[in-house]
Amino acid sequence: RFRVARPVLAMALVLTLLGLWDERSQAFRRIENEPLLPGLVAAIAQRPGEVLWLDGRAETWLALGRPSWITNLQGASIVFSRPLAMLWSDRIDRLIALGLATEAQRRPFAAPVPPRADDLPAGAVATLCAAPDGPAWIVVPLREGQAPPDGARVFPLTDPSVRPMATVEGMGWQRVTAYGLLACRA
């Protein structure tokens, strides 16, 4: 009986290990496996620099393989050094002051706040891009029917990207149908 049981148990163990091998969260797997538009990736690859992905999480690193100008992951001073956490704090303050972010990006686990307006405030992008440490690129997720920012190249998605978002009214869905790309520094 052991001769039959050993191969069966070995096969079950191998199949279990293969099933458990990938420890990434579902969200990270979706970001990495979601096909970004080759045109967007190629446009960003034209020159180096950090990318600000508005309302983004880890897309800049996972999907583009580029450094992120800011994400809420960088604000964890337990994980990152104090100088990096302070740099993050300064950057998020600037984004909030410019209307390009909300307190939800500073404190993602606090009570929901109204989302960032779809239309970027006049002059906000120019002010951010003019800063000595401004990002090289800004990616703006565009919702259905949303007009792209002035000067943005638009990359429509064949399949909309949908993800849950906490809203003041409860849970909602963010449905992105295209990406707008703004170049900052030449």
Side-chain angles (χ1 to χ4, degrees):
R1 291 194 310 204
F2 289 115
R3 287 184 194 178
V4 173
R6 279 185 183 168
V8 170
L9 288 173
M11 185 58 77
L13 181 60
V14 167
L15 291 174
T16 302
L17 288 174
L18 288 175
L20 298 174
W21 185 261
D22 190 353
E23 292 184 18
R24 296 174 299 165
S25 70
Q26 283 286 65
F28 284 164
R29 264 189 256 163
R30 188 183 70 245
I31 291 168
E32 288 178 329
N33 296 334
E34 201 172 89
L36 272 182
L37 299 167
L40 176 65
V41 175
I44 291 174
Q46 289 177 0
R47 64 186 159 83
E50 297 170 316
V51 178
L52 170 60
W53 193 298
L54 292 181
D55 306 327
R57 296 179 182 150
E59 293 89 347
T60 305
W61 177 251
L62 296 175
L64 301 175
R66 297 290 291 270
S68 179
W69 192 78
I70 192 168
T71 71
N72 59 1
L73 298 173
Q74 295 166 328
S77 59
I78 288 177
V79 178
F80 294 95
S81 69
R82 177 172 169 72
L84 287 177
M86 297 306 290
L87 175 64
W88 175 86
S89 180
D90 173 61
R91 286 181 174 185
I92 197 70
D93 285 343
R94 283 191 277 164
L95 288 178
I96 291 170
L98 290 170
L100 298 174
T102 66
E103 282 295 321
Q105 279 81 24
R106 175 185 300 287
R107 298 179 305 161
F109 302 111
V113 298
R116 175 184 63 77
D118 282 345
D119 296 327
L120 303 182
V125 170
T127 301
L128 182 62
C129 289
D133 69 336
W137 301 97
I138 300 175
V139 177
V140 183
L142 301 171
R143 293 171 188 82
E144 200 164 29
Q146 179 182 350
D150 290 338
R153 289 178 56 192
V154 177
F155 298 90
L157 295 169
T158 53
D159 294 319
S161 171
V162 180
R163 73 177 183 190
M165 290 191 69
T167 65
V168 176
E169 298 83 25
M171 286 303 290
W173 297 95
Q174 181 186 45
R175 182 181 167 94
V176 175
T177 58
Y179 295 112
L181 180 64
L182 295 165
C184 271
R185 294 174 280 141

